[in-house]
Every structure is written in C-alpha cells, then in structure tokens.
Amino acid sequence: MKKTTLIAGAISALAAALAFIAKSKQKPAASEAVRAARYRQPRRVLIAGATSAIAQEAAKEFAADGDKLFLIARNAEKLQVVADDLRVRGAAQVETAVLDLTDTDRHAATLDQAAEALDGLDIALIAHGTLSDQAACQQSYALTEQEMRTNFLSVVSLVTLLANRFEAERRGTIAVISSVAGDRGRKSNYVYGAAKAGVTAFLSGVRGRLADAGVTVITIKPGMVDTPMTAHLEKGALFASAESVGQGVYRAIITGREVVYLPRFWWVIMTVIRHVPEFIFKKLNF
Amino acid sequence: MKDFQSWGRYFNYRHEIRRMGWRFSAPAMLADLPASFLPVGLGRSYGDSCLNDGGILLDMTPLNHFLAFDRENGLLRCEAGVSLEEILKIIVPHGWFLSVTPGTKFVTVGGAIANDVHGKNHGHAGTFGMHVTRFELLRSDGTRLLCSPTENADWFRATIGGLGLTGVILWAEFKLKKIESPFIDEEIIKFRNLDEFFEIARESEAGYEHTVSWIDCFAHGDSLGKGVFLRGNNTAAPTTYSYQPPKPQRLAVPFTAPNFALNNYTMRAFNVLYYEKNLRKIVRGTVHYEPFFYPLDAIGQWNRIYGNRGFMQYQCIVPYDDGFRAIRAIIHKIATSGLTPFLNVLKTFGDKKSPGMLSFPRKGVTLAIDFPNQGQATLDLLTEIDRMVLDSGGIAGYPAKDSRMSAEFFKAFFPQWEAFMEFIDPKISSSFWRRVTGNSE
C-alpha cells in the first residue's frame, strides 16, 4: 500500500473522530439567551435566494420574531409559497421581488426597492447559489463562467452595493452563505469551491474595510446540508438538516459572529483538511 | 431501497423513498411516479398503513408551508406535511389550539386527516376530520379536487380516514379551538374497578372536555379494570403567563432495549407503581398542555423499549351493554392471558359522527393496549379478541394501529370497504390495504 494512502486514511480517521467529538458538544438551536437578545423594533431583513432551504429556515426565525422581510428569488411560484408561509409565521411585513440574481444590472434598483418597502434595511442575508456540476464544468468554460456569475460575481455585486449603503449609514449586517468547499479546492468540486473561496476572501476584505464603520460582515460556511441542492447525493452521517443550519444562520446574525462553520464541527474537519500537505492532498479522492 | 419502519417497529419492509417537491410542481411529480406509491407523513402509525413493501413511499414532510391563518376566527390553512408541533408553535401564542389532537404532536396534518385521528375530547369534539373545512386532493392522473362538505363531498368523505389511498392531500384548512391559556386544569382520580370507571366516566361527560383512563390489565377478579382516570378542561381564566415554548426533548431511549427488558415482572411492577404513585383518591392540578396531551413526546424514540421485535397496538370499541359484559370479558381475557400488555388506555367515545367513510371512532367504550410482540401467542390472543369484539357488535382494526388483522375480520368490521375501493387512486397502494383486503399481489 502506498504511503500517501496510509497518511490519507489516518487523516480521515482523525477528522472523523474530531468531528464526532465536536458534534456531541453542539448546543441546542436558538437558545434562550439568543432569544432574549431580540430587538424590540422589528428588524428589516433582506434575503436574496429566499426560497433556498437554508434561507427559508433562517427566515422562519426572523418571522417568529415579528421582523419585516424583503424576499428575492428567481421563481415567482416558490416565492409566493414562501412569502405566505412567513406571513403566517408572524413576520410583520413580507415583500417580494422576482429576480434572477445573475442579472447584476438590476441589483441597485432592487435594493432601493427593498429599502423603500421596509423603510430602510438592517440585515441582508445572501443565500442564493447552485451546486455546480463539476464534470460538466470541466468540459465547458462557458458553463464554468455561468457558475462563477451565479455563485461569485452576483454576490460581489450585491455585497458592493450593500457595503456602500451600510457604510454610509454606519450600521447594518451583511451575512453571506459561503461554504466549507471554499476552504480548499478539491478535484471533485473545485468550480463551486473556487467561487465560494472567492466569496470568503471578498467578505474577509469587506469586513476589514467596514470594521470602523460599525458594519458587521458574516461569512457562513455550511458543511453538507440535506437540501434540494444535494437531493441527488447519498446522505452520510455528516449531513446536517436545513433546519439546524438555518437556525445557525439566524443565531450568527443576531449574535454578530463573523465567521461561522455550520454545524460547528466542520471547523475541526476543515482545519485538518487545510493542513494536509499538497503532495498528499492531490492524491485524495474526495 | 432504504429501511423505513412504522412506529410499532414490527415490520421490516423495503421501500424506495421519494421526497415531495413544491406544491405547484406536485402534479408533474406524481405523473412521473410509477405504481405503486404511498404518501406518508411522520410515520407515527403503529402498523403497516404507512408502509408499502417493495414500492415507493412519498415523503410528504417537505410540503411544510402555511398558507393562511385567520387569527380572529381561528381558521388555519397549511400544506399537508406540516406537523401538529409546528402548528401549535404558531397558534398557541394567539390563543388558539387544535380542535382535536392525538396523543403525539409528531404527526402531519395529512396524516391526521388520512387516519381521522381522535383524542381525549372525542365526546365533545369528535375526530380531526370533523373540523376540516376543505382541502385540495391531487390524483395521480393530475386531477385536482377541491373537497369540502359541500364540494366534491364524496371525495371529502372518502379522503377523511382514507389512509392516503384516495390521492395526495396538498393542503388543508381546518377550524381551531379558542383557548384562554395554554394550561389545563386536571384531575386524576383512582378507580378500583370497571364499575367505578363507568361511574366516573358518566359523571365527567358533561363537565370535562378531556377524559382518558389508564387501566392495570393485570388486575382481575373484584379489581378487574382498576386504574387511573384523567380528566380536564382548558384553564378558563386568562393567565398572565406568556406562552413558553416546551423545553427541548432531553430524554430519549438511546438504543433498542433487549427483548427481555419488558417481561411479566417489569410490566406488573410498572402497572402497580403507576396506580400507587398517587396516594390520594383525587389529585387536582394545573398543568401545561404538553404533559397533559403529549406525555410520551417527552421521551424520544420510546418505541425502542419494546426491543427489536417491536410491538402491536390493539384498539377496539365495544358498544354499551348491560353490566358492561363485553368489555369486562375482553379485559378478563387479557388479564388472564399470561401475555404482557404494557400501556392500556380505556376511554368512552361520544356519539359525534365523522364524515369519514372508513373513520374508526363511534359511540362506545374503547380499549387500546400495547402488546410487545411475543409471536404467535400474541397473534392468537388478538384474533380471539377480534371475535369477542365482533360478537359484541363493536369494531376493531383501527388502521393507524393495526398490524395483524385478517382480511376476513377487517371486511366484517368495515363493510364499507368495497364502496371505498372506488375512490382509491390506481397508482397508490399500501401494505395495510393489500393485507386487509386479502390482495397480496
């Protein structure tokens, strides 16, 4: 057996063990302390990609708090279903805009529309994205470019506009769903991973820029989540529910944690993965 | 193919699990499904009514959106995969409660309708289906039927208690019950035998909405049918407490118990302790609705205590007769069987009649017993009880609970089964239905 295979095996075992320990110490969702931290005024929350499973679960938490929501999504029928749901769940106001977020020309107007509808914005959650078909992307630059537009450039456009808006107001929170896939490019998923790595790096810079302006920038890195996006994948023990991840997103936003792995044990796994020497990493089959 | 067990953990069937998509894309999804499939919710039925051996189970829980909530008039509309737990979270803070709730909140609205479930307030409110104002039924051929007591009324009646066989319920609208507080004023009364039970049941009929009893199925002779009567009403005075969400589940059965864990001795001990834990004849108190309605929901996966053989729940309803002879004979039969019934529930049903064609509850006294699966001896005992119930003019074989009734008895208890057949979707089937109609293809 090759030496690299042995080392890779040992690393996987270590990661699994650490993940297990971290998982067993997870806190219950939306703890009392977090609930107690609710604002008295309804928060004004913009959600891009509002029909995604994780965004819906996070939005339910804001709705339960009686917040005001502006939802953006591509599919009008889904958007209607989600908007009605959040109204019943207690949102003080729900407004919607149907928009394909790769259409960056319309971002500025849509944000203005949102700010007008909710009478200002406190929080923006950017949750849209697609899980790229790696094999197909490898054969097509055009497809890879499309994925970059969806998962990276559209986020860059939104965050640029939001950063300038919040910087001027000297307040606000921008939270973006990146991914653990952005922590290191893997051969099975590097187009998606590169886009998310771009998002993570971009947010890191924006965070520094806006630190003095009192604007919070949150990078959320979910691991594998059981959602329609991953419906075609075999579910292992590492998969988390959209509900628990969505609640984690909500918790990160209202506590202002800046870089969050969800569930938290992914921090352990990714720390190990980031430190695997390249000569071994390139042989790993995942 | 993946394993999916129903709550009784008695069947080990193989299924292919598919997940329901969005409500508006459901017609296309159903058109693509091969026969046979079965829509399922949270799988809390005990037997095989939520199983489809060798076929597809269509997981309805992704269909979990609310459509509308009229907070003034207590009318809620939601998709079929929404659980009662989710509903309570939303309605209780606005002073509303479920008109009818079963003993667990981990069931979906679709499941509650398909089994036409009942609860502690049957005498006052009837079944879940009686509070449904309308729902949308999707057939596998793409037909969408808006059903209510006046519109497509025959489909409305067939689908309430229709075991998911008539089509897929996409959403439903139902009436809620006004409450002044999330608390219940309860009274726990010990009774020494069956006569005392019926006395308390009669005197509780008018003044107490919620009633249920637990009986010690080991007691016989003079104390046959001794037990504990629980009755209560929603606390009337508006309380100052704000709604407190229930504490997260802290207890769970972490693994499947060995099969010998529940034996005659541990069961007897449990039954004695349960009866004797209250020293006084009557204990009064005010409790949150959680422990009152959902005592077992506090213990995750409690079905594992029965070991890997699983258990069977038997429920029957016996009409009132002189001296309660029939129910007395049945309890006597169980008490002297040498088998080990665990949780035994005795309750009187009122005369509220559900529109559901296959709906189970009717006027009489109902007995529900959990039997750990002890193989042929258990099956033989239950067949003997079937016979006694049939002779008394009663009914057994509640589909949400039955795991073993023969086609012969089912057809005798549910003579309307043939008329119901007309409403079954050609692409939908269940292991239960194949078993009780003697069609095992």
Side-chain angles (χ1 to χ4, degrees):
Chain A
M1 204 183 285
K2 274 189 187 168
K3 200 173 165 191
T4 48
T5 324
L6 280 174
I7 297 171
I11 288 167
S12 319
L14 179 65
L18 290 173
F20 179 77
I21 293 163
K23 196 173 189 178
S24 64
K25 292 195 170 166
Q26 266 184 86
K27 289 190 178 155
S31 68
E32 294 303 315
V34 167
R35 292 279 177 197
R38 285 173 180 174
Y39 299 175
R40 292 207 174 264
Q41 284 286 325
R43 307 180 192 99
R44 297 161 297 181
V45 187
L46 171 107
I47 304 179
T51 59
S52 86
I54 294 174
Q56 279 190 64
E57 294 298 335
K60 284 178 191 174
E61 298 294 320
F62 288 113
D65 288 352
D67 292 338
K68 297 176 171 184
L69 307 172
F70 189 93
L71 312 178
I72 304 172
R74 185 171 42 163
N75 183 311
E77 281 174 305
K78 291 182 186 177
L79 195 53
Q80 182 66 46
V81 169
V82 173
D84 287 343
D85 179 60
L86 294 171
R87 283 188 193 104
V88 172
R89 288 175 189 273
Q93 183 186 350
V94 182
E95 306 290 338
T96 61
V98 177
L99 176 65
D100 181 339
L101 285 158
T102 56
D103 187 356
T104 50
D105 291 345
R106 289 179 56 198
H107 283 186
T110 308
L111 290 187
D112 287 343
Q113 186 193 338
E116 194 177 334
L118 302 188
D119 193 22
L121 291 177
D122 300 307
I123 295 165
L125 169 62
I126 300 175
H128 67 282
T130 54
L131 186 57
S132 317
D133 179 342
Q134 176 65 29
C137 284
Q138 278 168 213
Q139 302 306 319
S140 160
Y141 169 71
L143 189 57
T144 303
E145 187 186 322
Q146 180 56 39
E147 291 298 323
M148 289 294 168
R149 285 187 193 285
T150 309
N151 290 327
F152 178 54
L153 290 174
S154 68
V155 176
V156 168
S157 164
L158 281 174
V159 173
T160 301
L161 292 165
L162 288 163
N164 294 340
R165 175 183 290 272
F166 285 150
E167 187 178 36
E169 294 173 2
R170 299 193 70 75
R171 48 182 294 289
T173 297
I174 303 170
V176 182
I177 300 191
S178 183
S179 170
V180 296
D183 278 14
R184 196 162 185 180
R186 293 179 296 120
K187 68 179 169 193
S188 62
N189 194 20
Y190 64 80
V191 172
Y192 181 74
K196 290 299 192 184
V199 168
T200 299
F202 190 83
L203 292 175
S204 168
V206 174
R207 182 177 305 120
R209 173 190 144 200
L210 298 183
D212 289 341
V215 178
T216 308
V217 178
I218 299 173
T219 310
I220 294 152
K221 300 182 184 178
M224 292 182 280
V225 189
D226 189 359
T227 67
M229 196 198 234
T230 59
H232 59 290
L233 303 177
E234 194 65 32
K235 305 292 178 297
L238 291 178
F239 271 84
S241 71
E243 189 183 3
S244 72
V245 173
Q247 288 170 351
V249 169
Y250 163 82
R251 206 162 49 227
I253 290 172
I254 65 170
T255 56
R257 276 184 59 131
E258 290 167 332
V259 180
V260 189
Y261 286 85
L262 291 175
R264 285 195 196 171
F265 65 78
W266 278 98
W267 177 83
V268 179
I269 296 177
M270 296 320 294
T271 301
V272 172
I273 287 178
R274 274 199 312 273
H275 289 88
V276 177
E278 198 66 27
F279 77 93
I280 295 169
F281 194 75
K282 72 180 182 190
K283 308 263 178 173
L284 296 180
N285 266 324
F286 72 104
Chain B
M1 300 293 250
K2 288 177 187 167
D3 283 324
F4 179 86
Q5 281 191 311
S6 63
W7 194 244
R9 306 178 75 245
Y10 176 72
F11 298 99
N12 292 295
Y13 286 166
R14 304 292 280 169
H15 301 94
E16 185 183 337
I17 316 264
R18 299 276 185 94
R19 274 168 125 180
M20 189 65 182
W22 294 79
R23 185 168 81 234
F24 57 83
S25 59
M29 179 168 185
L30 256 54
D32 287 345
L33 283 182
S36 70
F37 70 88
L38 178 70
V40 294
L42 288 164
R44 282 287 173 131
S45 292
Y46 290 75
D48 50 357
S49 66
C50 60
L51 301 176
N52 186 20
D53 192 18
I56 293 171
L57 290 182
L58 181 58
D59 174 5
M60 294 293 291
T61 56
L63 219 53
N64 63 355
H65 298 98
F66 289 91
L67 281 77
F69 177 21
D70 179 342
R71 290 171 195 174
E72 273 69 55
N73 300 306
L75 202 60
L76 185 72
R77 200 174 343 138
C78 65
E79 290 179 345
V82 174
S83 71
L84 301 189
E85 183 196 21
E86 282 285 290
I87 291 172
L88 290 169
K89 270 198 255 174
I90 283 164
I91 63 173
V92 171
H94 294 283
W96 295 100
F97 204 78
L98 296 160
S99 297
V100 169
T101 177
T104 172
K105 57 189 183 303
F106 303 125
V107 302
T108 62
V109 167
I113 295 172
N115 292 284
D116 199 15
V117 297
H118 58 271
K120 292 183 171 67
N121 63 350
H122 183 269
H124 288 248
T127 64
F128 191 92
M130 292 173 64
H131 303 273
V132 175
T133 48
R134 55 189 177 139
F135 55 79
E136 185 177 358
L137 184 71
L138 173 66
R139 303 270 294 172
S140 64
D141 64 7
T143 314
R144 303 171 78 145
L145 299 168
L146 190 65
C147 306
S148 76
T150 52
E151 210 174 335
N152 292 309
D154 49 346
W155 289 97
F156 184 77
R157 287 194 299 272
T159 302
I160 291 175
L163 307 173
L165 297 168
T166 61
V168 173
I169 301 170
L170 294 179
W171 57 265
E173 182 185 76
F174 44 95
K175 283 185 282 210
L176 304 171
K177 171 192 154 67
K178 187 84 194 132
I179 53 169
E180 300 298 333
S181 99
F183 288 81
I184 307 279
D185 294 327
E186 71 167 8
E187 291 184 11
I188 304 167
I189 307 165
K190 296 211 298 197
F191 52 90
R192 281 174 307 197
N193 54 42
L194 207 57
D195 291 322
E196 265 194 39
F197 164 79
F198 280 107
E199 210 171 293
I200 301 169
R202 196 166 34 239
E203 97 182 25
S204 307
E205 250 170 44
Y208 296 85
E209 178 175 353
H210 309 287
T211 61
V212 71
S213 298
W214 160 88
I215 64 164
D216 180 349
C217 258
F218 289 99
H220 49 92
D222 287 346
S223 21
L224 182 120
K226 82 166 182 182
V228 176
F229 198 103
L230 178 68
R231 64 187 186 187
N233 286 309
N234 292 85
T235 303
T239 45
T240 48
Y241 338 63
S242 60
Y243 168 76
Q244 297 162 317
K247 294 207 172 69
Q249 212 169 58
R250 294 203 188 283
L251 282 173
V253 180
F255 55 86
T256 303
N259 289 326
F260 59 79
L262 290 192
N263 55 46
N264 245 307
Y265 301 101
T266 54
M267 302 272 198
R268 271 174 205 274
F270 172 83
N271 278 272
V272 168
L273 285 172
Y274 197 95
Y275 184 77
E276 301 298 346
K277 74 173 180 185
N278 292 330
L279 291 175
R280 282 174 295 150
K281 173 90 179 156
I282 301 186
V283 179
R284 293 188 174 86
T286 298
V287 294
H288 191 264
Y289 74 77
E290 279 282 332
F292 185 82
F293 287 117
Y294 312 113
L296 286 171
D297 282 356
I299 306 163
Q301 294 285 305
W302 61 261
N303 53 348
R304 289 178 175 169
I305 62 169
Y306 288 98
N308 60 16
R309 292 178 304 197
F311 68 107
M312 287 175 251
Q313 186 170 87
Y314 188 87
Q315 183 166 3
C316 60
I317 307 168
V318 176
Y320 295 112
D321 58 16
D322 240 11
F324 317 113
R325 283 193 314 270
I327 193 73
R328 201 182 297 275
I330 291 168
I331 296 172
H332 177 78
K333 180 94 206 160
I334 295 165
T336 55
S337 68
L339 291 171
T340 47
F342 186 34
L343 277 172
N344 319 290
V345 172
L346 192 64
K347 176 173 167 49
T348 51
F349 276 158
D351 47 14
K352 294 260 190 300
K353 187 81 191 83
S354 166
M357 268 179 90
L358 290 183
S359 189
F360 183 72
R362 61 208 59 198
K363 190 169 175 62
V365 56
T366 183
L367 176 67
I369 313 149
D370 287 351
F371 286 98
N373 173 19
Q374 288 172 289
Q376 198 55 44
T378 311
L379 294 172
D380 290 345
L381 172 69
L382 298 183
T383 306
E384 280 183 67
I385 303 174
D386 282 344
R387 174 67 60 196
M388 296 168 82
V389 173
L390 192 61
D391 290 347
S392 78
I395 184 168
Y398 179 27
K401 295 181 171 176
D402 182 65
S403 304
R404 33 63 52 193
M405 183 172 279
S406 68
E408 174 201 355
F409 273 107
F410 182 81
K411 290 172 178 174
F413 285 129
F414 293 85
Q416 67 276 38
W417 73 276
E418 252 173 323
F420 175 76
M421 292 282 281
E422 287 174 36
F423 294 94
I424 296 180
D425 189 294
K427 278 166 79 173
I428 301 182
S429 182
S430 71
S431 290
F432 173 84
W433 194 253
R434 294 192 291 270
R435 173 168 61 83
V436 299
T437 54
N439 172 13
S440 53
E441 34 110 15

